[in-house]
Amino acid sequence: MKYTIAALFLAADNAMSNSGGVCAFTPPTNPPAISSSTSQNGVRKGSVMASGGFGKTTAGSGMSKGKKTMKKKSTKPPSYELSPGARIQDVLNPDIFSDPQTIETIKAQIRNGEICVIRNAFIPEFANAMYEELDDTDAWSKNEDYFNDGYGFKHNNVYSKSDFSPLFLQANEMFETEETKEFMSELTGRDCSGESVGAPSYYEVGDHSLPHTDHIGQRSVAYIWHLSKSWKAEYGGGLYWAPEPLANAYLHASFNTLVLFSVTPFSSHFVTSVSPKSKGNKRLAYNGWWHSSWVPKATDPMEEMLGSPEQRLTLTHIQIQAINDMLDDPWAPRIQPPERHEAIVDLRRNIMEELYPEAKSSPVMLN
């Protein structure tokens, strides 16, 4: 299976005409998964390198740098408000999302393990209002941590809902509505019926996020809504999609660009350090994840639900761990009959071989 990057440039871009177009680039197949600190069955329990984002990890191997909270100033009323019960469909750019062919292109890209980059994704009124809120708030907390397996991050976020502006709260509610989650499930082919989490982010000079996959917990689909104005590639802070060859891997910060990707052990990416050249420019975004709500049980028809490599690729970290637990936990009821137990053992073997393959290159060592 190939994991490629495809950028859906449907509006103005310096490299493309306003007529829009689809760019797809194909890197080598079978990119390596990040495989350090695995459990005996290959699943990294509470993996920090896999997590990324939001500065929240469940492994205790890191060296916390703590938080520095900036002084919050009063916020002015937003220039745009979402009505109660608003869905994401209400504020997406209708020129893009009312076109059936474009929708099918987005679906195909995400289902193929590509990263989908949608320019001018939201209506201008909403995008500009969100930019103004991000630019105006001083409620940022510095999140910085470095871990024993090499993962680390440094960036500013607003995580406390008490510090959210009214528009941030409205946006979170919109991402969380059942209609939005159903739409995203249909668009991405992933289960997005669980919780949705999102928060503002701001990368200043020196901020970065080292390589990770986001594959932790029940994360199913990741989104990054870039809201940086007048940003240049030389400012750094680029989202680097690791499965892609170097020449095509950088997705530089921009304004009103929605980035979507299916979270898997192969969705390796990082954010490059913001350069001093950025001066007074801010790398701003609103990012988060839609989660799956399914936790496998012994009574579930897993042989059918996970019968193909494509289906197994959609497993979240918690779902893989649940399958491990039902086979390995001595207190878990044994799967019956014995023939089915062996079938689930074989299924687990396929999952591990496909999602956590052996490293392509081993260190050269003297005997």
Side-chain angles (χ1 to χ4, degrees), residues 31 39 66 77 108 166 169 195-196 227 234 249 286 299-300 326 352-353:
S39 73
L169 291 171
E195 71 169 335
S196 169
L227 288 160
E234 65 192 74
Y286 199 94
T299 54
D300 291 335
M326 70 177 68
M352 294 304 156
E353 289 176 354

Side-chain angles (χ1 to χ4, degrees), residues 58-97:
T58 54
S61 58
M63 179 181 63
S64 175
K65 292 297 184 181
K67 293 185 177 181
K68 178 184 71 176
T69 303
M70 302 178 187
K71 181 180 179 182
K72 182 182 179 183
K73 64 184 178 183
S74 60
T75 56
K76 57 186 178 182
S79 59
Y80 184 86
E81 292 187 350
L82 294 170
S83 36
R87 315 162 304 162
I88 196 170
Q89 303 95 300
D90 299 327
V91 288
L92 288 170
N93 186 341
D95 293 337
I96 297 172
F97 287 90

Side-chain angles (χ1 to χ4, degrees), residues 320-339:
I320 296 171
Q321 193 60 56
I323 294 171
N324 276 336
D325 289 343
M326 70 177 68
L327 292 173
D328 299 335
D329 187 346
W331 299 104
R334 186 169 178 82
I335 299 172
Q336 297 293 344
E339 294 80 8

Side-chain angles (χ1 to χ4, degrees), residues 25 44 47 83 100 125 131 146 187 210 264 300 326 342 347:
F25 312 104
R44 306 182 64 207
S47 163
S83 36
E125 301 91 333
Y131 166 79
Y146 302 94
L187 187 69
L210 297 181
T264 76
D300 291 335
M326 70 177 68
E342 290 306 312
L347 175 63

Side-chain angles (χ1 to χ4, degrees), residues 163-281:
D163 289 332
F164 273 34
S165 71
L167 187 58
F168 293 160
L169 291 171
Q170 293 167 15
N172 253 26
E173 291 171 1
M174 177 195 69
F175 288 125
E176 178 67 23
T177 62
E178 292 303 316
E179 293 84 354
T180 293
K181 292 191 283 189
E182 289 172 3
F183 175 80
M184 294 310 303
S185 293
E186 171 63 22
L187 187 69
T188 65
R190 295 293 303 270
D191 173 25
C192 297
S193 61
E195 71 169 335
S196 169
V197 296
S201 71
Y202 163 40
Y203 283 62
E204 56 188 335
V205 172
D207 284 359
H208 58 272
S209 184
L210 297 181
H212 60 282
T213 65
D214 284 3
H215 192 249
I216 195 169
Q218 285 282 64
R219 291 175 183 176
S220 183
V221 173
Y223 70 87
I224 306 109
W225 184 13
H226 284 285
L227 288 160
S228 305
K229 289 193 173 183
S230 304
W231 196 264
K232 299 179 180 179
E234 65 192 74
Y235 297 165
L239 174 64
Y240 188 98
W241 187 248
E244 181 64 28
L246 175 64
N248 306 321
Y250 282 100
L251 302 172
H252 298 292
S254 56
F255 177 69
N256 196 15
T257 297
L258 179 64
V259 176
L260 298 171
F261 62 86
S262 181
V263 176
T264 76
F266 299 99
S267 53
S268 302
H269 59 284
F270 60 91
V271 178
T272 64
S273 181
V274 174
S275 164
K277 288 187 175 182
S278 62
K279 298 178 181 177
N281 296 281

